[in-house]
Amino acid sequence: MPCNDLAKALRRKGLAVVAFLFVAVPTAFAGSLEQAKRIHDRIAGVPPSDAVLLQMAADIDNGDAIGAAFRAMDNANFYNITLKNFAAPWTNRAESVFVPLNDYIATVIGMVRDDVPFNTLLSADIVYVGNGGPAYSVANNNHYQTMEDNGTDLSTALTQTTQSSVNGLPSAATAGIMTTRGAAEAFFVAGTNRAMFRFTMLNHMCHDMEQVRDVTRAPDRIRQDVSRSPGGDSRIFLNNCVGCHSGMDALAGAFAFYNFDEETETFSYSPAAVDSKYFNNDANFAFGFRTGDDSWTNYWRQGPNSLLGWDPNLPGSGNGAKSLGQEMANSDAFAECQVTKVFRNMCFRDPTDTADRNQVAAMVASFQNSGYRMKQVFAEAATYCMGD
C-alpha cells in the first residue's frame, strides 16, 4: 500500500499518524522520536502529546536537542511533579519526598521557572506565594496546603515576592530558602541550630559532616556544650569531635538570632540577643566559645576543604545567614552539587564513568557561565541521557 494510502487508512481507524511514523519512516527519524519521548518523560514525568512529540523530534533532527528539552519544560508537570519531588527531600530531616508543599519547595520551583540565578538560593530576599486562599503566615502552612489540596498549577500560580514583606524579617536577615518557614520548622527547631548548617551542606553542597572532617583546624570557635574529654578521654575530642565542630561551629554562628518555636509553630528572628539554645549544656566545658553575636568565619578555606572551591572574591567571614549563604552558594561544590542532583534525577543513576564525569564537569561550567540557570542544567542532563 502506498504511504499516503496507509496514512489515510490509519486515520479512518482513529489511529494517530505518529503511529504510522514509528513504523514507516527511516530509522534515523524513528530514533529522534524515541529520544524526544525519553526526554519528555524524564523532564515532565508524563508522555508528550503527538504534536509536541513531533516538534521535539524535529528539534533533535535539526541538531537542537537542548531546544527539545526546553520544549518539554513547557509541560506543567515539570513544575507540579518533577521539581516538587526534586526539592521536597531538602526540606526535612528524613529527606522524604512525601511532605506537603511549603514555601521552601514553592520558592525552588519559582526560581527555576523564572531563571532566577540559583546561586542566590541561600541568600536572596525571595519567596514564592500563590493567589487566593489563606494568606501567607509564619505561624502555619495553610497557604501552601490549600494550594496543594486544590491541585493548583504551580507552573502559573506562583508569584515572586520578598520574604521581608510577608514574614517580618528585615531584608538583611533573609537568606533565601534557609529563612523560609519550611526550613525553619525542620532545622531551626530545638537543638542548637547546627542542623540548619549540616542539612544545608548536605542538600546544597552534597557533603555531610564526615566528608568535611578536618582535625587540623583551630578549635577556638567550638561551643561550650561540646565536651573536651568525652567519656573521660580527651583523645576522642582531639581526633574526632574537633574534626567537624571546629569548622561547623565557626560557621553556624551565623544563625544565632533565629529560632522556631514548637508550641506556637512560629519562626522568629531576634537580633537583640543570641537565642538561648546556643547556651544549652554550657557547663560541659565552661572555657569553650560562648556565642555573643551572629558572626561567622570559614576555617575551611584552608586545609583539605579548600577543595570545595570557595569564591576568592568573598571575604570568608561575616555576620548573619545572608552572607553565609553567599559564601556557600558561590562555591564550586554548590554548583557541582546542583548539577549532580539533576544528572541523577534525569538519568536515574549517578555519574559512573569518565564520560559521565566529563559531562558533569562541562555542565558545571555551563551552569556557572549561564548565570546559574537550573533549566539549562535539566536540559543538558536530559539530552545527555536521551540515548540510555
Side-chain angles (χ1 to χ4, degrees):
M1 180 183 294
C3 289
N4 287 340
D5 292 339
L6 178 57
K8 290 177 182 177
L10 286 170
R11 290 193 185 96
R12 283 196 300 271
K13 292 178 178 295
L15 299 176
V17 177
V18 68
F20 159 75
L21 291 173
F22 271 114
V23 297
V25 296
T27 303
F29 191 54
S32 65
L33 281 167
E34 293 170 359
Q35 292 169 346
K37 184 177 185 302
R38 186 171 291 114
I39 289 172
H40 196 282
D41 287 351
R42 294 187 179 188
I43 285 178
V46 294
S49 67
D50 290 353
V52 170
L53 179 65
L54 291 172
Q55 290 170 334
M56 290 177 63
D59 290 334
I60 293 170
D61 286 334
N62 291 327
D64 187 16
I66 295 293
F70 272 94
R71 197 183 295 277
M73 291 180 214
D74 291 337
N75 190 293
N77 287 293
F78 174 61
Y79 303 96
N80 293 324
I81 298 174
T82 303
L83 286 181
K84 181 179 182 295
N85 291 340
F86 183 64
W90 311 341
T91 68
N92 62 95
R93 299 186 188 217
E95 300 177 77
S96 172
V97 71
F98 301 108
V99 292
L101 179 69
N102 57 37
D103 54 352
Y104 188 143
I105 299 171
T107 299
V108 171
I109 294 171
M111 290 180 70
V112 175
R113 184 196 66 187
D114 296 345
D115 284 326
V116 177
F118 214 63
N119 65 329
T120 65
L121 180 73
L122 307 179
S123 61
D125 183 2
I126 188 172
V127 69
Y128 277 78
V129 298
N131 300 315
Y136 180 98
S137 173
V138 294
N140 58 64
N141 191 50
N142 295 348
H143 177 74
Y144 297 95
Q145 186 65 63
T146 299
M147 292 172 63
E148 186 159 63
D149 292 344
N150 292 339
T152 301
D153 183 358
L154 304 178
S155 70
T156 58
L158 295 176
T159 301
Q160 181 185 147
T161 187
T162 59
Q163 287 184 29
S164 54
S165 67
V166 295
N167 66 8
L169 290 180
S171 182
T174 60
I177 51 84
M178 291 194 294
T179 50
T180 57
R181 184 185 183 278
E185 183 178 26
F187 309 127
F188 279 146
V189 65
T192 58
N193 281 1
R194 290 184 179 102
M196 178 62 77
F197 177 77
R198 183 239 169 164
F199 280 95
T200 302
M201 279 286 295
L202 178 63
N203 293 322
H204 299 296
M205 293 182 72
C206 292
H207 283 72
D208 208 345
M209 292 301 96
E210 292 80 3
Q211 296 166 283
V212 293
R213 182 174 172 272
D214 177 12
V215 298
T216 67
R217 298 303 95 200
D220 61 310
R221 291 286 297 248
I222 299 180
R223 293 186 218 161
Q224 296 167 309
D225 62 334
V226 179
S227 172
R228 269 47 172 189
S229 56
D233 190 346
S234 62
R235 292 173 300 175
I236 297 175
F237 171 78
L238 294 171
N239 294 298
N240 191 1
C241 306
V242 72
C244 296
H245 281 282
S246 58
M248 175 172 58
D249 284 13
L251 290 162
F255 305 123
F257 297 150
Y258 299 92
N259 187 42
F260 186 87
D261 190 314
E262 283 186 278
E263 293 185 6
T264 63
E265 296 188 351
T266 301
F267 174 37
S268 63
Y269 172 76
S270 304
V274 173
D275 194 273
S276 61
K277 65 175 65 177
Y278 274 71
F279 310 119
N280 288 348
N281 302 312
D282 57 356
N284 281 350
F285 188 72
F287 300 103
F289 183 77
R290 190 169 182 85
T291 305
D293 55 23
D294 63 350
S295 63
W296 61 269
T297 187
N298 187 0
Y299 288 160
W300 288 336
R301 278 182 167 255
Q302 287 77 44
N305 290 319
S306 63
L307 296 176
L308 295 174
W310 307 103
D311 187 344
N313 297 312
L314 293 174
S317 61
N319 287 82
K322 184 181 289 291
S323 59
L324 176 61
Q326 293 168 342
E327 174 84 346
M328 299 175 77
N330 285 285
S331 67
D332 292 337
F334 175 87
E336 184 174 348
C337 181
Q338 312 317 309
V339 168
T340 302
K341 289 184 297 186
V342 172
F343 184 100
R344 187 181 298 123
N345 190 268
M346 291 290 98
C347 301
F348 306 135
R349 58 182 172 82
D350 288 313
T352 55
D353 55 22
T354 300
D356 287 351
R357 288 188 288 272
N358 289 341
Q359 175 66 18
V360 167
M363 288 165 60
V364 169
S366 174
F367 181 44
Q368 293 173 316
N369 294 332
S370 70
Y372 292 87
R373 297 176 63 220
M374 282 291 281
K375 281 191 288 191
Q376 182 70 26
V377 181
F378 275 94
E380 292 178 5
T383 55
Y384 175 76
C385 297
M386 66 183 180
D388 286 0

